[in-house]
Amino acid sequence: MKVGDNYYVTVWADGQTVYMIDQTKLPYHFEIYQAENYLQTCEAIKNMVVRGAGAIGAAAGYAMAQACMEAPKTNYERFISRARQDIEATRPTAQNLFFATKEVYETGSRSAHKALEKARSLAEENIDEGRKIGAYGNTFIKDGSNIETHCNAGWLAFVDHGSALAPIYQAKREGKNIFVYADETRPRGQGARLTAWELKNEHIPHAIIADNAGAWLMAQGKIDMIIVGADRIAANGDVANKIGTLEKAVAAYHYGIPFYVTAPVSTIDFACKNGREIVIEERAKEEVLFQEGPNAQGDWHKISVSSPGSEALNPAFDVTPAQYISAIITEKGVVDPTPSQIQNLK
Ligand code: MRU
């Protein structure tokens, strides 16, 4: 997507170096983070310099390729298999991380040189998948639609285009009159910071809403549809996505509002029978207890937003049971969240 006059993707590589738009600094500063080796790329994934299932997958693929290029000839197999474990330990829920790491590892075990090519082709596929999801998803958006979305599943969460926001971009390009409610998405604020920034750049009318405002807006008839992304989809159609997705889905079901999940097929974990098997990442309690950002002068600050001394819990994702999902929109088409239709995507 364009930032100012320049076209960017979220993550790319040049030789051994991996470049990422630093999402911890957005929307206040636009900076590129440079990782010179696979461990630095792992740190960037852990610290959410790069985040969002698709972008994490691409970064993980590049990290695996970096490891293949770094590995000593004498100890090659051992080095890359250790690196694979390091990469897979960065964030446990996003299926794309495991998918890309495995693909690049398998190529890299045959040829270190081909590993980078593989990582690059996965990143390119990710762009194409976002474009197709946009086209399929757009068919559900009517002129005049008010759409709620949770977290950030825009181009920043992919290599480009995004999943949940891709149909919204497409609808806007076709001249549809739309309005987006972006859930702020505590504790990291991906909706308030990243989704809002993306929508503003694309001139899409929107409002940031508090995480607990969705049900009330639904009750008032202000929301026509909900579109979210996914971090892992089980074979039965249960969907892990950013914490807070489940309560939106339950409320939408109650009010008869369609709830769409968008994701590439690489987000489906065909070996995972149902949502109970999905590992939910627990992140640091500091993310709940403190917030970070610039003050009026632009100096970066971390401030307490809770009673000092209290504990906090920080599950990063939740699982929405298939029964609450109207459809899953993928690059291969739209399916019902049922085992048979999901199996057909394989
Ligand atoms: O913790 P994050 O920001 O990496 O979370 C991932 C997400 O952005 C969302 O859960 C999103 O809806 C799916 S990613 C395309």
Side-chain angles (χ1 to χ4, degrees):
M1 297 291 267
K2 277 185 132 183
V3 180
D5 286 334
N6 299 318
Y7 172 77
Y8 281 95
V9 290
T10 51
V11 49
W12 68 99
D14 188 3
Q16 195 114 349
T17 307
V18 175
Y19 299 88
M20 290 156 266
I21 295 175
D22 188 343
Q23 301 194 33
T24 62
K25 303 277 170 54
L26 286 174
Y28 313 108
H29 305 287
F30 186 82
E31 289 176 17
I32 305 301
Y33 182 94
Q34 229 170 291
E36 304 298 343
N37 54 51
Y38 92 86
L39 283 174
Q40 286 180 1
T41 307
C42 284
E43 277 309 300
I45 297 172
K46 250 189 241 164
N47 299 334
M48 296 175 69
V49 165
V50 64
R51 47 137 304 279
I56 290 174
Y62 283 130
M64 195 64 244
Q66 281 176 308
C68 294
M69 291 184 276
E70 280 163 46
K73 281 205 177 65
T74 47
N75 219 356
Y76 185 77
E77 257 312 319
R78 238 180 101 177
F79 187 97
I80 66 164
S81 110
R82 175 67 215 263
R84 179 178 176 179
Q85 286 169 18
D86 290 338
I87 299 163
E88 290 183 343
T90 53
R91 298 200 65 191
T93 306
Q95 165 67 5
N96 291 70
L97 180 144
F98 295 87
F99 168 79
T101 308
K102 175 175 176 286
E103 293 278 314
V104 179
Y105 173 81
E106 284 171 0
T107 305
S109 10
R110 294 189 294 273
S111 142
H113 167 71
K114 289 258 160 65
L116 182 59
E117 263 173 46
K118 182 69 187 176
R120 208 166 262 141
S121 83
L122 290 175
E124 270 156 27
E125 277 168 28
N126 183 279
I127 296 178
D128 195 46
E129 288 155 5
R131 197 180 291 119
K132 288 178 177 151
I133 289 169
Y136 282 119
N138 175 37
T139 62
F140 293 95
I141 301 179
K142 296 194 185 80
D143 191 32
S145 287
N146 294 299
I147 307 162
E148 182 176 358
T149 188
H150 192 68
C151 194
N152 170 263
W155 71 275
L156 291 167
F158 261 54
V159 180
D160 199 358
H161 299 292
S163 50
L165 294 191
I168 291 172
Y169 293 139
Q170 189 57 31
K172 164 79 178 169
R173 273 178 217 123
E174 289 186 6
K176 289 180 191 168
N177 184 19
I178 49 174
F179 188 88
V180 179
Y181 291 98
D183 297 346
E184 61 175 346
T185 320
R186 282 271 289 144
R188 296 285 298 213
Q190 290 96 328
R193 294 179 184 221
L194 305 176
T195 297
W197 182 74
E198 285 195 28
L199 294 170
K200 191 181 87 196
N201 290 347
E202 295 302 308
H203 310 288
I204 295 174
H206 65 280
I208 298 164
I209 57 170
D211 281 328
N212 32 20
W216 176 236
L217 294 176
M218 292 182 218
Q220 291 179 301
K222 292 198 169 154
I223 291 170
D224 301 308
M225 63 193 295
I226 298 177
I227 314 182
V228 298
D231 292 274
R232 190 180 291 244
I233 300 175
N236 73 337
D238 292 349
V239 169
N241 194 51
K242 181 54 57 192
I243 192 77
T245 303
L246 170 61
E247 60 196 54
K248 305 299 167 226
V250 173
Y253 188 78
H254 178 81
Y255 289 109
I257 297 166
F259 186 92
Y260 298 108
V261 169
T262 53
V265 171
S266 52
T267 303
I268 301 172
D269 182 353
F270 291 97
C272 171
K273 284 204 272 320
N274 58 54
R276 285 189 300 280
E277 292 183 3
I278 298 176
V279 176
I280 298 297
E281 177 182 9
E282 281 281 339
R283 292 189 61 87
K285 63 182 178 187
E286 282 70 25
E287 291 185 348
V288 175
L289 300 175
F290 298 90
Q291 289 285 281
E292 289 184 44
N295 65 8
Q297 286 70 45
D299 302 319
W300 200 259
H301 277 283
K302 183 171 181 176
I303 58 160
S304 164
V305 290
S306 50
S307 179
S310 283
E311 280 302 317
L313 292 178
N314 189 11
F317 302 96
D318 57 29
V319 176
T320 298
Q323 71 174 107
Y324 297 115
I325 297 165
S326 310
I328 299 178
I329 301 166
T330 77
E331 78 280 15
K332 290 192 182 170
V334 181
V335 296
D336 292 334
T338 58
S340 59
Q341 293 221 6
I342 287 176
Q343 198 62 24
N344 281 343
L345 293 169
K346 219 172 182 176

